[in-house]
Amino acid sequence: MFGIRSAVRSAAVARAGFVRTTTKPSFALAQRRLYSDQPEETYEQFTNRYVKFFENVDDQFELQRGLNNCFAYDLVPDVAICEAALRAARRIDDFSTAVRVFEALKIKVDKRSQYEDYLQALKPVKDELGLLTSEELGFK
């Protein structure tokens, strides 16, 4: 019975003029590259963009989203970005996120000496805002 239905169906399709064809995209279309025509962002432009972003942060969600986006790049953020992020964290009264900025720096840098350089550069801001690192809090 199954064979009869399929035969009748295929005969009806053939009479109606419907023919199923499968087409595959051509090789040229499959190899097409979709490059952006925008110029690549320089390190200074990147730094200025995130400093401005953190200066305008109003809530914890925006701060953490900005930090996630900033630290997702394949580079260590500039001291100016970290300072702006720390000031934003204290402005919205988010001490834990401020401590996590230091933890993210520690993970992001290649050597312990680079982390110490960042700590030394951020020491005035850290003291002014009353921030501590996780090591100073007794963790790790």
Side-chain angles (χ1 to χ4, degrees), residues 11-94:
V13 168
R15 269 186 269 131
F18 297 115
V19 178
R20 285 189 187 174
T21 59
T22 58
T23 59
K24 295 181 181 177
S26 71
F27 183 71
L29 290 177
Q31 294 298 317
R32 186 175 176 195
R33 304 261 193 242
L34 300 174
Y35 292 115
S36 173
D37 58 347
Q38 295 181 354
E40 194 170 316
E41 186 176 41
T42 65
Y43 188 73
E44 289 78 23
Q45 291 170 334
F46 174 82
T47 301
N48 291 335
R49 178 168 57 108
Y50 274 101
V51 167
K52 287 178 187 174
F53 175 83
F54 287 124
E55 287 174 351
N56 297 321
V57 165
D58 293 332
D59 63 357
Q60 184 183 24
F61 176 78
E62 285 184 28
L63 174 63
Q64 291 178 350
R65 181 177 62 90
L67 286 170
N68 284 334
N69 291 338
C70 181
F71 279 93
Y73 286 91
D74 191 24
L75 53 84
V76 182
D78 193 51
V79 173
I81 295 174
C82 296
E83 180 178 344
L86 292 171
R87 290 187 186 281
R90 289 306 282 171
R91 185 175 58 248
I92 63 171
D93 199 26
D94 190 5

Side-chain angles (χ1 to χ4, degrees), residues 105-117:
L105 278 173
K106 185 177 180 181
I107 293 169
K108 197 74 172 168
V109 296
D110 291 331
K111 301 175 186 170
R112 177 76 179 173
S113 62
Q114 291 174 327
Y115 178 63
E116 296 296 331
D117 292 341

